[in-house]
Amino acid sequence: MSLKTDKPVELAAAEEKRRITRQVIAWLNTCPCLPVKQAGYGGLQPGRPGVALVSPQGAVIRKRYICGGHLGEYPFSLTYRIVNPGSSTDKRLKADEALDAVGAWAASGRPDVGPTAQARRVEVAARAALSAVWQDGDEDHEIQLKLIYEVI
């Protein structure tokens, strides 16, 4: 439920979420400051650096239009795994800096989200920070973003 309206959150169709996920990943992979060659979806491999997009909630509908379209929000996070930084504060801060750079890049542009939708903006919802430390010493750093889009 939303605290503002006490209405239940309306999820967008699963097909819409999958389409937007694919489009956002393809767009993120054009980012010149992405700290790895290619971002993926979901989990990351142990012992290997990587970036993955995760959107646990999926796309939600914020407003329905009389003409049949809607305003949507697609919250997602990017997780960047660094391999065994040991006690290096510098490596940790560089991981956060890399994700913040990707966030700044994303907020300055808009992905193509398909023929029936239009991206309005991308916002940084939370700056990059350490999110997990694994037994093997690897660490995950995460930045939270959201795409605001319209289905027309």
Side-chain angles (χ1 to χ4, degrees):
M1 291 229 191
S2 168
L3 293 176
K4 290 181 183 178
T5 62
D6 291 327
K7 291 183 190 176
V9 173
E10 183 180 1
L11 296 176
E15 178 184 329
E16 183 175 314
K17 182 220 181 216
R18 286 189 296 271
R19 179 178 41 80
I20 290 173
T21 299
R22 284 185 175 93
Q23 296 294 102
V24 169
I25 291 171
W27 174 67
L28 287 168
N29 280 323
T30 68
C31 176
C33 53
L34 192 67
V36 296
K37 286 184 181 181
Q38 190 170 8
Y41 178 74
L44 292 164
Q45 296 294 319
R48 296 179 64 192
V51 171
L53 180 145
V54 178
S55 180
Q57 178 178 341
V60 296
I61 297 171
R62 291 292 176 212
K63 180 196 272 185
R64 287 218 174 259
Y65 299 138
I66 294 171
C67 63
H70 62 266
L71 179 68
E73 181 178 305
Y74 177 77
F76 63 99
S77 63
L78 292 178
T79 302
Y80 176 27
R81 175 157 298 157
I82 59 174
V83 176
N84 200 0
S87 60
S88 175
T89 297
D90 188 55
K91 287 180 182 177
R92 289 181 181 92
L93 290 173
K94 283 182 177 176
D96 289 346
E97 289 166 359
L99 284 176
D100 283 335
V102 173
W105 175 86
S108 70
R110 295 182 300 196
D112 175 2
V113 289
T116 61
Q118 181 177 13
R120 292 177 103 186
R121 68 186 175 278
V122 176
E123 299 174 357
V124 175
R127 295 264 178 229
L130 176 67
S131 62
V133 178
W134 300 97
Q135 281 186 331
D136 63 2
D138 293 352
E139 293 181 0
D140 290 350
H141 293 251
E142 180 179 271
I143 187 169
Q144 296 176 8
L145 303 149
K146 64 181 170 179
L147 166 68
I148 309 299
Y149 66 96
E150 286 183 302
V151 172
I152 42 182

